Amino acid sequence: MKPSPFLVLLLLMTTGIVYGCQSSGFGHAGSSVELSLESGTISVPTKELPELDDYMASFDSSERQIEWERVNTSAFSSPTGVVYGDIRYSCGTKLCDHLWLQIKEEQHRTLSLPAYDGSIFVSHAFSPNETYLALLMGRNEGAELVRHQLLVLRTDEFSVAAVHGEPATISEQAVSGDFAFPILDLKWKDDQTLEATIPDTADLSYEGLQQWREQGSKTRTLLLQVS
């Protein structure tokens, strides 16, 4: 029996895609955030995370403690040892705001993702030369469907990279923050080209994607250029 692409959505441990270690922890009275890696735990002082610090400052002491208990993190290292962390806060039911952190040569840099609020971090993939970091974000719809959005960062500047491809409309949907369709597989074809596998259907409604699955789950490949 052919595996369902909706199952594949939960098994994106394919070529070039690796999950980070996840944890939920913070230091005494919220003085730091902990990132768990295979090599051990890194404690990041809250003062190095101004966006999170400002958010917590908007609550009184009792509410702030509750918010700190909702903070969760995922972390992973690049092939050259640079640490990246996804710090999730302002969390509802599985939905959080994201603050991304890069720790390189003891320098901390942060990047908020306001366009991706309410999403979940699914997986990541570094380009072969480590110039870019592709992040796959997701949003649940119903019990079986996860729609995805692609975000690519420049690792040197720790900023959002430009992504384009043909057809332009579909390429824009993949990166715009609209969470239009599932991305079933994602891998780097070369240092500046991403290859995304997406459903081959014009009907991206919940019912349309259910029908697509029932009718054989035909896919298409989308080539995306990063700059």
Coordinates of all heavy atoms in Angstrom, one line a residue, residues 72-155:
N72 N 8.4 27.1 25.1 CA 9.0 25.9 24.7 C 10.1 26.2 23.7 O 10.1 27.3 23.0 CB 8.0 25.0 24.0 CG 7.1 24.3 25.0 OD1 7.4 23.2 25.5 ND2 6.0 24.9 25.3
T73 N 11.1 25.3 23.5 CA 12.2 25.6 22.6 C 12.5 24.3 21.8 O 12.3 23.2 22.2 CB 13.4 26.0 23.4 OG1 13.9 25.0 24.2 CG2 13.2 27.3 24.2
S74 N 13.0 24.6 20.6 CA 13.7 23.5 19.8 C 15.0 24.1 19.4 O 15.2 25.3 19.2 CB 12.9 23.2 18.5 OG 11.6 22.7 18.9
A75 N 16.0 23.2 19.3 CA 17.4 23.7 19.0 C 18.1 22.7 18.2 O 17.8 21.5 18.3 CB 18.2 24.0 20.3
F76 N 19.0 23.1 17.3 CA 19.9 22.3 16.5 C 21.1 23.0 16.2 O 21.2 24.2 16.3 CB 19.1 21.8 15.3 CG 18.5 22.9 14.4 CD1 19.3 23.6 13.5 CD2 17.2 23.3 14.6 CE1 18.7 24.6 12.7 CE2 16.7 24.4 13.9 CZ 17.4 25.0 12.9
S77 N 22.1 22.3 15.7 CA 23.4 22.8 15.3 C 23.6 22.7 13.8 O 23.2 21.7 13.3 CB 24.6 22.2 16.1 OG 24.5 22.4 17.5
S78 N 24.3 23.6 13.2 CA 24.7 23.5 11.8 C 25.9 22.6 11.7 O 26.5 22.2 12.7 CB 25.0 24.9 11.3 OG 26.3 25.3 11.8
P79 N 26.2 22.1 10.5 CA 27.4 21.3 10.3 C 28.7 21.9 10.9 O 29.6 21.2 11.3 CB 27.5 21.1 8.8 CG 26.1 21.2 8.4 CD 25.5 22.3 9.2
T80 N 28.8 23.3 10.9 CA 30.0 23.9 11.4 C 29.9 24.3 12.9 O 30.7 25.0 13.4 CB 30.3 25.2 10.6 OG1 29.2 26.1 10.6 CG2 30.6 24.8 9.1
G81 N 28.8 23.9 13.5 CA 28.6 24.1 15.0 C 27.9 25.4 15.4 O 27.9 25.7 16.6
V82 N 27.3 26.1 14.5 CA 26.5 27.3 14.9 C 25.2 26.7 15.4 O 24.5 25.8 14.9 CB 26.2 28.2 13.7 CG1 25.4 29.4 14.1 CG2 27.5 28.7 13.1
V83 N 24.7 27.3 16.6 CA 23.5 26.9 17.2 C 22.3 27.7 16.8 O 22.4 29.0 16.8 CB 23.7 26.9 18.8 CG1 22.4 26.6 19.5 CG2 24.8 25.9 19.2
Y84 N 21.2 27.1 16.5 CA 20.0 27.8 16.2 C 18.9 27.3 17.2 O 18.8 26.1 17.5 CB 19.6 27.5 14.8 CG 20.5 28.1 13.7 CD1 21.6 27.4 13.3 CD2 20.3 29.4 13.2 CE1 22.5 28.0 12.4 CE2 21.1 29.9 12.3 CZ 22.3 29.2 11.9 OH 23.1 29.8 11.0
G85 N 18.1 28.2 17.6 CA 17.0 27.9 18.5 C 15.7 28.5 18.1 O 15.7 29.7 17.6
D86 N 14.6 27.8 18.2 CA 13.2 28.3 18.0 C 12.6 28.4 19.4 O 12.3 27.4 20.1 CB 12.4 27.3 17.1 CG 11.0 27.8 17.0 OD1 10.7 29.0 17.1 OD2 10.1 26.9 16.8
I87 N 12.4 29.7 19.8 CA 11.8 29.9 21.1 C 10.3 30.3 20.9 O 10.0 31.3 20.3 CB 12.6 31.0 21.9 CG1 14.0 30.7 22.0 CG2 11.9 31.3 23.2 CD1 14.9 31.8 22.5
R88 N 9.4 29.5 21.4 CA 8.0 29.7 21.2 C 7.4 30.2 22.5 O 7.5 29.7 23.6 CB 7.4 28.3 20.8 CG 8.0 27.8 19.5 CD 7.4 26.5 19.1 NE 7.7 25.4 20.1 CZ 8.8 24.7 20.1 NH1 9.8 25.0 19.2 NH2 9.0 23.7 20.9
Y89 N 6.6 31.3 22.3 CA 6.0 31.9 23.5 C 4.6 32.5 23.1 O 4.2 32.3 21.9 CB 6.9 33.1 24.0 CG 7.1 34.2 23.0 CD1 6.4 35.4 23.1 CD2 8.0 34.1 22.0 CE1 6.6 36.4 22.2 CE2 8.2 35.2 21.1 CZ 7.5 36.3 21.2 OH 7.7 37.3 20.3
S90 N 3.9 33.0 24.0 CA 2.5 33.5 23.7 C 1.7 32.3 23.1 O 1.0 32.5 22.1 CB 2.5 34.7 22.8 OG 1.2 35.2 22.6
C91 N 1.8 31.2 23.8 CA 1.3 30.0 23.2 C -0.2 29.7 23.6 O -0.5 29.8 24.8 CB 2.1 28.7 23.6 SG 3.8 28.8 23.0
G92 N -1.0 29.4 22.6 CA -2.3 28.9 22.9 C -2.3 27.4 22.8 O -1.4 26.7 23.2
T93 N -3.3 26.8 22.1 CA -3.4 25.3 21.9 C -2.5 25.0 20.7 O -2.9 25.1 19.5 CB -4.8 24.9 21.6 OG1 -5.6 25.3 22.7 CG2 -4.9 23.4 21.5
K94 N -1.2 24.6 21.0 CA -0.2 24.2 20.0 C 0.2 25.4 19.1 O 0.9 25.2 18.1 CB -0.7 23.1 19.1 CG -1.0 21.8 19.9 CD -1.4 20.7 19.0 CE -1.7 19.4 19.7 NZ -2.1 18.3 18.8
L95 N -0.3 26.6 19.3 CA 0.0 27.7 18.4 C 0.8 28.7 19.2 O 0.4 29.2 20.3 CB -1.3 28.3 17.9 CG -2.2 27.4 17.1 CD1 -3.4 28.1 16.7 CD2 -1.5 26.8 15.9
C96 N 1.9 29.1 18.7 CA 2.8 30.1 19.4 C 3.4 31.1 18.5 O 3.4 30.9 17.2 CB 4.0 29.3 20.0 SG 3.5 27.9 21.1
D97 N 3.9 32.2 19.0 CA 4.8 33.1 18.3 C 6.2 32.5 18.3 O 6.6 31.8 19.3 CB 4.8 34.5 18.9 CG 3.4 35.1 18.9 OD1 2.6 34.7 18.0 OD2 3.1 36.0 19.6
H98 N 7.0 32.9 17.3 CA 8.3 32.3 17.2 C 9.4 33.4 17.3 O 9.3 34.5 16.6 CB 8.5 31.6 15.8 CG 7.6 30.5 15.6 ND1 8.0 29.2 15.9 CD2 6.4 30.4 15.2 CE1 7.0 28.3 15.7 NE2 6.0 29.0 15.2
L99 N 10.4 33.2 18.1 CA 11.6 34.0 18.1 C 12.8 33.1 17.8 O 13.1 32.1 18.6 CB 11.8 34.6 19.5 CG 13.0 35.4 19.7 CD1 13.0 36.7 18.8 CD2 13.2 35.9 21.2
W100 N 13.4 33.4 16.7 CA 14.6 32.5 16.3 C 15.9 33.1 16.8 O 16.1 34.3 16.9 CB 14.6 32.4 14.8 CG 13.7 31.3 14.3 CD1 12.4 31.5 14.0 CD2 13.9 29.9 14.3 NE1 11.8 30.3 13.7 CE2 12.7 29.3 13.8 CE3 15.0 29.1 14.5 CZ2 12.6 27.9 13.7 CZ3 14.9 27.8 14.3 CH2 13.7 27.2 13.9
L101 N 16.8 32.3 17.3 CA 18.0 32.7 17.9 C 19.2 32.0 17.1 O 19.1 30.8 16.8 CB 18.0 32.3 19.3 CG 19.4 32.4 20.1 CD1 19.7 33.9 20.3 CD2 19.3 31.7 21.5
Q102 N 20.2 32.8 16.9 CA 21.5 32.2 16.3 C 22.6 32.5 17.3 O 22.7 33.6 17.8 CB 21.8 32.8 15.0 CG 23.1 32.3 14.4 CD 23.6 33.1 13.2 OE1 24.0 34.3 13.4 NE2 23.5 32.6 12.0
I103 N 23.3 31.5 17.7 CA 24.5 31.7 18.6 C 25.7 31.3 17.8 O 26.0 30.1 17.5 CB 24.4 30.8 19.8 CG1 23.1 31.1 20.6 CG2 25.6 31.1 20.8 CD1 22.9 30.2 21.8
K104 N 26.5 32.2 17.4 CA 27.7 32.0 16.6 C 28.9 32.8 17.2 O 28.8 34.0 17.4 CB 27.5 32.5 15.2 CG 28.6 32.3 14.2 CD 28.2 32.8 12.8 CE 29.3 32.6 11.8 NZ 28.9 33.1 10.4
E105 N 29.9 32.0 17.6 CA 31.1 32.6 18.2 C 30.7 33.5 19.4 O 31.2 34.6 19.5 CB 31.9 33.4 17.1 CG 32.4 32.5 16.0 CD 33.1 33.4 14.9 OE1 33.0 34.6 15.0 OE2 33.7 32.8 14.0
E106 N 29.8 32.9 20.2 CA 29.3 33.6 21.4 C 28.5 34.8 21.2 O 28.2 35.6 22.1 CB 30.5 33.9 22.4 CG 31.3 32.6 22.8 CD 32.4 33.0 23.8 OE1 32.5 34.1 24.2 OE2 33.0 32.0 24.3
Q107 N 28.2 35.1 19.9 CA 27.3 36.3 19.6 C 25.9 35.8 19.5 O 25.6 34.8 18.8 CB 27.8 37.0 18.3 CG 26.9 38.1 17.9 CD 27.3 38.8 16.6 OE1 28.2 38.2 15.9 NE2 26.7 39.9 16.3
H108 N 24.9 36.5 20.1 CA 23.5 36.1 20.0 C 22.8 37.1 19.1 O 22.9 38.3 19.3 CB 22.9 36.2 21.4 CG 23.5 35.2 22.4 ND1 24.7 35.3 22.9 CD2 22.9 34.1 23.0 CE1 24.9 34.3 23.8 NE2 23.9 33.5 23.8
R109 N 22.1 36.5 18.1 CA 21.2 37.3 17.3 C 19.8 36.7 17.2 O 19.7 35.5 17.2 CB 21.8 37.4 15.8 CG 23.2 38.1 15.8 CD 23.6 38.4 14.4 NE 24.0 37.3 13.6 CZ 24.5 37.3 12.4 NH1 24.6 38.5 11.8 NH2 25.0 36.3 11.8
T110 N 18.8 37.6 17.2 CA 17.5 37.1 17.3 C 16.7 37.6 16.1 O 17.0 38.7 15.5 CB 16.7 37.6 18.6 OG1 16.8 39.0 18.6 CG2 17.4 37.0 19.8
L111 N 15.6 36.9 15.7 CA 14.8 37.3 14.6 C 13.4 36.8 14.9 O 13.1 35.6 15.1 CB 15.3 36.6 13.3 CG 14.5 36.8 12.0 CD1 14.6 38.3 11.6 CD2 15.0 35.9 10.9
S112 N 12.4 37.8 15.0 CA 11.0 37.5 15.2 C 10.4 37.2 13.9 O 10.7 37.7 12.8 CB 10.3 38.7 15.9 OG 10.8 38.8 17.2
L113 N 9.3 36.3 13.9 CA 8.6 36.0 12.7 C 7.1 36.3 12.8 O 6.3 35.5 13.0 CB 8.7 34.5 12.5 CG 10.1 33.9 12.3 CD1 10.1 32.4 12.0 CD2 10.9 34.6 11.2
P114 N 6.8 37.6 12.7 CA 5.4 38.0 12.9 C 4.5 37.4 11.9 O 3.3 37.2 12.1 CB 5.5 39.6 12.8 CG 6.7 39.8 12.1 CD 7.7 38.8 12.5
A115 N 5.0 37.2 10.7 CA 4.1 36.7 9.6 C 3.8 35.2 9.8 O 2.9 34.6 9.1 CB 4.8 36.8 8.2
Y116 N 4.5 34.5 10.8 CA 4.3 33.1 11.0 C 3.7 32.8 12.3 O 3.9 31.7 12.9 CB 5.6 32.4 10.8 CG 6.1 32.5 9.3 CD1 6.8 33.6 8.9 CD2 5.9 31.5 8.4 CE1 7.3 33.8 7.6 CE2 6.4 31.6 7.1 CZ 7.0 32.8 6.7 OH 7.5 32.9 5.4
D117 N 3.1 33.8 13.0 CA 2.5 33.6 14.3 C 1.4 32.5 14.2 O 0.7 32.3 13.2 CB 1.7 34.9 14.7 CG 2.7 36.0 15.1 OD1 3.9 35.7 15.1 OD2 2.3 37.1 15.4
G118 N 1.3 31.7 15.2 CA 0.4 30.6 15.3 C 0.8 29.4 14.5 O 0.0 28.5 14.3
S119 N 2.0 29.3 14.1 CA 2.5 28.1 13.3 C 3.3 27.3 14.2 O 3.7 27.6 15.3 CB 3.3 28.6 12.1 OG 4.4 29.3 12.5
I120 N 3.6 26.1 13.7 CA 4.5 25.1 14.4 C 5.7 24.9 13.6 O 5.7 25.0 12.4 CB 3.8 23.8 14.7 CG1 3.3 23.2 13.4 CG2 2.7 23.9 15.7 CD1 2.7 21.8 13.5
F121 N 6.9 24.8 14.2 CA 8.1 24.5 13.6 C 8.2 23.0 13.2 O 8.0 22.2 14.1 CB 9.3 24.9 14.4 CG 10.6 24.4 14.0 CD1 11.1 24.6 12.7 CD2 11.4 23.6 14.8 CE1 12.3 24.1 12.3 CE2 12.7 23.1 14.4 CZ 13.1 23.4 13.1
V122 N 8.3 22.7 12.0 CA 8.3 21.3 11.5 C 9.7 20.7 11.3 O 10.0 19.7 11.9 CB 7.5 21.2 10.2 CG1 7.5 19.7 9.7 CG2 6.1 21.6 10.4
S123 N 10.5 21.4 10.5 CA 11.9 20.8 10.2 C 12.8 21.9 9.7 O 12.3 23.0 9.4 CB 11.7 19.7 9.2 OG 11.2 20.1 8.0
H124 N 14.0 21.6 9.4 CA 15.0 22.5 8.9 C 15.9 21.8 7.9 O 16.1 20.5 8.0 CB 15.8 23.2 10.0 CG 16.8 22.3 10.6 ND1 16.5 21.4 11.6 CD2 18.1 22.1 10.3 CE1 17.6 20.7 12.0 NE2 18.6 21.2 11.2
A125 N 16.6 22.5 7.1 CA 17.6 22.0 6.1 C 18.5 23.1 5.8 O 18.1 24.2 5.3 CB 16.9 21.4 4.9
F126 N 19.8 22.8 5.9 CA 20.9 23.7 5.5 C 21.3 23.5 4.1 O 21.3 22.3 3.6 CB 22.1 23.5 6.4 CG 22.0 24.0 7.8 CD1 21.7 23.2 8.8 CD2 22.2 25.4 8.1 CE1 21.5 23.6 10.1 CE2 22.0 25.8 9.4 CZ 21.7 25.0 10.4
S127 N 21.6 24.6 3.4 CA 22.1 24.4 2.0 C 23.5 23.8 2.1 O 24.1 23.8 3.1 CB 22.2 25.8 1.3 OG 23.1 26.6 2.0
P128 N 23.9 23.1 1.0 CA 25.2 22.4 1.1 C 26.4 23.3 1.6 O 27.3 22.8 2.3 CB 25.4 22.0 -0.4 CG 24.0 21.9 -0.9 CD 23.2 23.0 -0.3
N129 N 26.4 24.6 1.2 CA 27.5 25.4 1.7 C 27.1 26.2 2.9 O 27.9 27.0 3.4 CB 27.9 26.4 0.6 CG 26.7 27.4 0.2 OD1 25.6 27.3 0.8 ND2 26.9 28.2 -0.8
E130 N 26.0 25.9 3.5 CA 25.5 26.5 4.8 C 25.3 28.0 4.7 O 25.2 28.6 5.7 CB 26.5 26.2 5.9 CG 25.9 26.1 7.3 CD 26.9 25.8 8.4 OE1 27.5 24.8 8.3 OE2 26.9 26.5 9.4
T131 N 25.1 28.5 3.5 CA 24.8 29.9 3.4 C 23.4 30.2 3.7 O 23.0 31.3 4.2 CB 25.1 30.4 1.9 OG1 26.4 30.2 1.6 CG2 24.7 31.8 1.7
Y132 N 22.5 29.2 3.5 CA 21.1 29.4 3.8 C 20.6 28.3 4.7 O 21.1 27.2 4.7 CB 20.3 29.4 2.5 CG 20.6 30.4 1.5 CD1 21.4 30.2 0.4 CD2 20.2 31.8 1.7 CE1 21.7 31.2 -0.6 CE2 20.6 32.8 0.8 CZ 21.3 32.5 -0.3 OH 21.6 33.5 -1.2
L133 N 19.5 28.7 5.4 CA 18.8 27.7 6.3 C 17.4 27.7 6.0 O 16.7 28.8 6.1 CB 19.0 28.1 7.8 CG 18.1 27.4 8.8 CD1 18.3 25.9 8.8 CD2 18.4 28.0 10.2
A134 N 16.8 26.6 5.5 CA 15.4 26.5 5.2 C 14.7 26.0 6.4 O 15.1 25.0 7.0 CB 15.2 25.6 4.0
L135 N 13.6 26.7 6.7 CA 12.7 26.3 7.8 C 11.3 26.0 7.3 O 10.8 26.8 6.6 CB 12.6 27.5 8.9 CG 14.0 27.9 9.5 CD1 13.7 29.2 10.3 CD2 14.6 26.8 10.3
L136 N 10.8 24.9 7.7 CA 9.5 24.5 7.3 C 8.5 24.7 8.5 O 8.7 24.1 9.5 CB 9.4 23.0 6.8 CG 8.2 22.6 6.0 CD1 8.1 23.4 4.7 CD2 8.3 21.1 5.7
M137 N 7.6 25.6 8.3 CA 6.6 25.9 9.3 C 5.3 25.2 8.9 O 5.0 25.0 7.7 CB 6.4 27.4 9.5 CG 7.7 28.2 9.5 SD 8.8 27.8 10.9 CE 7.8 28.5 12.3
G138 N 4.4 25.0 9.9 CA 3.2 24.3 9.6 C 2.0 24.8 10.4 O 2.2 25.4 11.5
R139 N 0.8 24.6 9.9 CA -0.4 24.9 10.6 C -1.4 23.7 10.4 O -1.6 23.3 9.3 CB -1.1 26.2 10.1 CG -0.5 27.5 10.6 CD -1.3 28.7 10.2 NE -0.6 29.9 10.6 CZ -0.9 31.1 10.1 NH1 -1.8 31.2 9.2 NH2 -0.3 32.2 10.6
N140 N -1.9 23.3 11.5 CA -2.9 22.2 11.5 C -4.2 22.7 11.0 O -4.7 23.7 11.4 CB -3.0 21.5 12.9 CG -1.8 20.9 13.3 OD1 -1.1 20.2 12.6 ND2 -1.4 21.0 14.6
E141 N -4.9 21.8 10.2 CA -6.2 22.1 9.8 C -7.0 20.7 9.9 O -6.8 19.8 9.1 CB -6.3 22.6 8.4 CG -7.7 22.9 7.9 CD -7.7 23.5 6.5 OE1 -6.7 24.1 6.1 OE2 -8.8 23.4 5.8
G142 N -7.8 20.6 10.9 CA -8.5 19.4 11.1 C -7.5 18.4 11.7 O -6.5 18.7 12.2
A143 N -7.9 17.1 11.7 CA -7.1 16.1 12.4 C -6.0 15.5 11.5 O -5.0 15.0 12.0 CB -8.0 14.9 12.8
E144 N -6.1 15.7 10.2 CA -5.1 15.0 9.3 C -4.3 15.9 8.4 O -3.4 15.5 7.8 CB -5.9 14.0 8.4 CG -6.6 12.9 9.1 CD -7.3 12.0 8.1 OE1 -8.1 12.5 7.3 OE2 -7.1 10.8 8.2
L145 N -4.7 17.2 8.3 CA -4.1 18.1 7.3 C -3.2 19.1 7.9 O -3.6 19.8 8.9 CB -5.2 18.8 6.5 CG -4.7 19.8 5.5 CD1 -3.8 19.2 4.4 CD2 -5.9 20.5 4.8
V146 N -2.0 19.2 7.5 CA -1.0 20.2 7.9 C -0.6 21.0 6.6 O -0.1 20.4 5.7 CB 0.2 19.7 8.6 CG1 1.1 20.8 9.0 CG2 -0.2 18.8 9.8
R147 N -0.9 22.3 6.6 CA -0.4 23.1 5.5 C 0.9 23.8 5.9 O 1.1 24.1 7.1 CB -1.5 24.2 5.2 CG -2.8 23.7 4.8 CD -3.8 24.8 4.5 NE -5.1 24.3 4.3 CZ -5.6 24.1 3.1 NH1 -4.9 24.3 2.0 NH2 -6.9 23.6 3.0
H148 N 1.8 24.0 5.0 CA 3.1 24.4 5.3 C 3.5 25.8 4.7 O 2.8 26.2 3.7 CB 4.2 23.4 4.8 CG 4.1 22.1 5.6 ND1 3.4 21.0 5.1 CD2 4.5 21.7 6.8 CE1 3.5 20.0 5.9 NE2 4.2 20.4 7.0
Q149 N 4.5 26.4 5.3 CA 5.1 27.6 4.7 C 6.6 27.5 4.8 O 7.1 26.9 5.8 CB 4.6 28.8 5.5 CG 4.5 30.0 4.7 CD 3.4 30.0 3.7 OE1 2.3 29.5 4.0 NE2 3.7 30.4 2.5
L150 N 7.3 27.9 3.8 CA 8.7 27.9 3.7 C 9.3 29.2 4.1 O 8.9 30.3 3.6 CB 9.2 27.5 2.3 CG 10.7 27.5 2.1 CD1 11.4 26.5 2.9 CD2 10.9 27.3 0.6
L151 N 10.3 29.2 5.0 CA 11.1 30.4 5.3 C 12.5 30.1 5.1 O 13.0 29.0 5.6 CB 10.8 30.8 6.8 CG 11.6 31.9 7.3 CD1 11.1 33.3 6.7 CD2 11.4 32.0 8.8
V152 N 13.3 30.9 4.4 CA 14.7 30.7 4.2 C 15.5 31.9 4.8 O 15.1 33.0 4.6 CB 15.0 30.5 2.7 CG1 16.5 30.3 2.6 CG2 14.2 29.4 2.1
L153 N 16.4 31.6 5.6 CA 17.3 32.6 6.3 C 18.7 32.6 5.7 O 19.2 31.5 5.4 CB 17.4 32.3 7.8 CG 16.1 32.2 8.6 CD1 16.4 32.0 10.1 CD2 15.2 33.5 8.4
R154 N 19.3 33.8 5.6 CA 20.7 33.9 5.3 C 21.4 33.7 6.6 O 21.2 34.5 7.6 CB 21.0 35.3 4.7 CG 20.3 35.6 3.4 CD 20.7 37.0 2.9 NE 19.9 37.4 1.8 CZ 18.8 38.1 1.9 NH1 18.4 38.5 3.1 NH2 18.1 38.5 0.8
T155 N 22.3 32.8 6.7 CA 23.0 32.5 7.9 C 24.0 33.5 8.3 O 24.3 33.7 9.5 CB 23.7 31.1 7.9 OG1 24.6 31.1 6.8 CG2 22.6 30.0 7.7

